[in-house]
Amino acid sequence: MTPSGARPDVRAGVRIGVDVGDVRIGVSVSDPSGLLATPVETVPAGATSVRAILAIAEDRRAVEIVVGLPRSLSGDWGPAAHKVRGYAEELARSTPLPVRLVDERMSTVTAEHALREVGRKGKKRRAVVDQAAAVVILQSALDAERSQGRAPGELVEVAR
């Protein structure tokens, strides 16, 4: 809360949310006011994925990319977190946009639960779970910024 008691605003501008996986990368986008995250697409992981994500960011005129960091439940960094950090650094080296890492513990579990609740099963659910996880990551970041009054997570800084 601000001193006046009003909720802090979220910085204006579209953000891209990214859920990095070994096979697929889920991508989501926020509205320009930073209020709501929605799914965009699933990008195949691999050599062209950074270029695909940056094309989405450019097409949507994004101001920032938010990447989910898969920490363990205890908060430690395991092999997956180190891999995602490397991917976020590759994104940051490839764009002038800020890239932020935000805690994504349980995002895929949350996304799968939500999809089951609306009746998505089997291949239909697997086809969109990465996008849904990207929505959970980005929405959590937007909500955290709104409640804390500052940008969420950690800015990825790299030498260019």
Side-chain angles (χ1 to χ4, degrees), residues 99-120:
V99 176
R100 303 191 76 76
L101 284 167
V102 297
D103 189 348
E104 71 141 296
R105 278 178 274 190
M106 304 300 288
S107 65
T108 300
V109 171
T110 302
E112 286 181 343
H113 177 73
L115 290 171
R116 274 194 304 275
E117 290 291 313
V118 297
R120 292 275 179 117

Side-chain angles (χ1 to χ4, degrees), residues 73-94:
L73 291 178
S74 68
D76 293 336
W77 285 50
H82 287 285
K83 185 175 182 179
V84 168
R85 168 108 193 163
Y87 190 84
E89 289 172 353
E90 185 178 350
L91 276 170
R93 277 191 297 277
S94 302

Side-chain angles (χ1 to χ4, degrees), residues 17-18 64-71 84 99-105 136-138 140-142 144 151-156:
V18 180
E64 184 172 72
I65 299 172
V66 176
V67 179
L69 181 66
R71 294 182 183 217
V84 168
V99 176
R100 303 191 76 76
L101 284 167
V102 297
D103 189 348
E104 71 141 296
R105 278 178 274 190
V136 170
I137 290 164
L138 183 54
S140 294
L142 296 170
E154 169 195 352
L155 182 63
V156 178

